[in-house]
Amino acid sequence: SDTSQPHIALFPSAGMGHLVPFLRLASMLLSHNCRVTLITTKCTVSVAESTHISFFLSTHPEIKHIEFQVPPMQPSNTATDDPFFIQFEATSRSAHLIHPSIASSSPPLSAIFSDLVVASGVNKVAVGLGIPNYVVSTTSVNFLSLMAYLPILTSDAAKLTGSTEIEIPGLTPLPISSIPPPFFNPDHPFTGSILSNARALPYCKGILMNTFDCFEPETLSAINNKRALSNLPPILPIGPLEICELKKDEGRYLPWLNNQPAESVVFVIFGSRTAMSKDQIKELRDGLEKSEYRFLWVLKTKKVDKDDKEDLEDLIGCSFLQRTKNRGMVLKEWVNQQDILAHPAIGGFVNHCGWNSVMEAAQRGIPVLAWPQHGDQRANAEVLEKAGLGIWDRTWGWCGQRLVKQDEIQKKISELMTDEKLKSRAKKVGEEARKATGNGGSSKKTITETIESLKQ
Ligand code: BUP
């Protein structure tokens, strides 16, 4: 076989937040002259995942596709009914079963790049095949360090309950309020999947991350210089992952956006997995209206897209739509977020801080009003604020913890849209992000060296 062309298998786990960075990585590897095999689970949780996989494969016919049938799990665990968490656990438990499907790859694989949620099972397979497994972590280094430390944290209950902060030796302490609530419950499938795979991290060859050197400089250097979490393999920042062509949406907003002044529109969207309560949606609606800014708002009421059938007018009312029809647009459908963020009319981004969204905003230098909802999002919001890309109000809590009132929302949106310092800091972040991925940039060097090391 041609050893100058590495063959890499990519194995993402459930949810668009995990799929999107893997698709971007796949297209980046192709542009570096690698062969790529994409492993996806036979059934995806959301429709968005399956349509994006089909579209991506149809536009990249050179990619080999393996569909992995995840054995169904007994619904024994009652700690959650979140289908994404259930799928994480099922995939995590059965990841080692991928062995026969990839052992016969032709040409043979040079490496596997796998999601953290399948790291443990994939490590075993990689050892058997005599190839390295790199974990692709789809979050901030800040949150990764918490996951890496979780086995120690959960072995000593006092560490999680005794104080207002979590101290990971060598790193800035994390406020307890940023620890995702499931981590306090060892029986939660999210916690279980993270725990077993975090233990496997030291045995991976490296951790590829969608971030860049100067976005999280302190955490990165503490880990890579072995001052913290010294058992981890090198963290390899290769982001912001280049935007690749994803499936186009209907683009109904485009003619409208094209008619708005530069940097005048607030773009509001909370990722693919947040279901906001109807009361919270109403407060957000009124806060948006009171702010008097132009807005593009993408609304969701269910965790899984195919369950989201509610009528827009029933949710927010005809009169609101009528009153704001000249300065706002509300959509209840999948939109192409990366393209919208690139539109010159967008001036601010109200977002949950899923890590892909943070990196997409960083790449464009768009200021963010962070409104974290679940999981890693509060830890991500801390990073974003420290980097100068955004602002947030920590008292807003987790999704559903309390009702955030319209006046609070209005105030923060005004701050987002008028703070000139924030705007210029965010622009600077954008320049640094583009420098990192440009020729000679840190992220570009890191991915190039990683690929080089796989050529023998
Ligand atoms: Br919703 C939505 N269009 O309508 P995150 C999302 N996206 O392009 P999440 C769209 O999906 P996790 C839409 O640009 C980003 O690349 C968005 O990932 C895109 O959040 C991705 O931002 C969503 O990481 O995932 O979906 O909550 O919880 O896993 O972080």
Side-chain angles (χ1 to χ4, degrees), residues 7-267:
H7 181 188
I8 298 165
L10 299 180
F11 191 173
S13 74
M16 285 304 284
H18 293 253
L19 180 65
V20 168
F22 273 88
L23 298 184
R24 290 183 175 148
L25 191 52
S27 97
M28 190 162 146
L29 292 173
L30 290 178
S31 72
H32 279 83
N33 192 33
C34 297
R35 282 176 202 270
V36 174
T37 290
L38 180 67
I39 303 165
T40 61
T41 57
K42 181 87 183 185
C43 288
T44 61
V45 179
S46 63
V47 174
E49 291 165 82
S50 54
T51 53
H52 279 81
I53 292 167
S54 315
F55 174 81
F56 188 79
L57 291 170
S58 72
T59 52
H60 297 90
E62 65 274 48
I63 293 182
K64 193 177 154 216
H65 186 208
I66 293 177
E67 280 192 291
F68 176 48
Q69 181 86 53
V70 181
M73 263 199 350
Q74 296 305 319
S76 58
N77 196 308
T78 50
T80 184
D81 58 0
D82 184 320
F84 291 101
F85 287 150
I86 294 168
Q87 181 80 346
F88 281 160
E89 195 185 12
T91 320
S92 167
R93 281 194 190 179
S94 52
H96 60 284
L97 300 175
I98 195 66
H99 183 267
S101 323
I102 61 173
S104 54
S105 289
S106 168
L109 289 176
S110 323
I112 311 175
F113 288 3
S114 73
D115 201 289
L116 179 118
V117 169
V118 293
S120 168
V122 171
N123 267 356
K124 290 179 195 131
V125 175
V127 167
L129 298 175
I131 56 174
N133 177 34
Y134 287 79
V135 160
V136 179
S137 169
T138 56
T139 183
S140 54
V141 184
N142 195 31
F143 192 73
L144 173 83
S145 60
L146 176 67
M147 293 193 290
Y149 194 62
L150 200 62
I152 296 175
L153 211 51
T154 47
S155 67
D156 178 0
K159 283 208 167 78
L160 263 171
T161 50
S163 113
T164 56
E165 285 183 332
I166 299 283
E167 207 41 84
I168 302 175
L171 296 179
T172 313
L174 271 160
I176 279 277
S177 57
S178 288
I179 312 297
F183 280 2
F184 297 94
N185 177 3
D187 296 329
H188 195 290
F190 181 56
T191 314
S193 323
I194 300 293
L195 264 176
S196 55
N197 292 293
R199 289 192 186 101
L201 278 175
Y203 308 101
C204 302
K205 180 82 181 171
I207 306 175
L208 294 161
M209 296 203 65
N210 185 15
T211 190
F212 52 106
D213 269 349
C214 59
F215 201 66
E216 303 179 73
E218 288 156 22
T219 325
L220 258 172
S221 84
I223 298 175
N224 279 347
N225 295 318
K226 304 280 175 199
R227 294 194 305 274
L229 301 167
S230 58
N231 61 347
L232 286 185
I235 295 190
L236 306 165
I238 57 165
L241 285 173
E242 292 293 334
I243 298 303
C244 70
E245 206 196 320
L246 296 175
K247 194 173 183 314
K248 290 277 175 236
D249 54 29
E250 288 177 31
R252 290 198 284 129
Y253 48 83
L254 256 185
W256 179 78
L257 264 188
N258 289 341
N259 279 324
Q260 308 308 314
E263 296 180 10
S264 70
V265 176
V266 189
F267 177 29

Side-chain angles (χ1 to χ4, degrees), residues 17-18 20 269 271-273 334-335 337 352 354-357 360:
H18 293 253
V20 168
I269 184 166
S272 61
R273 293 170 45 196
W334 186 267
V335 297
Q337 180 176 303
H352 69 311
W355 193 248
N356 297 293
S357 296
E360 287 161 22

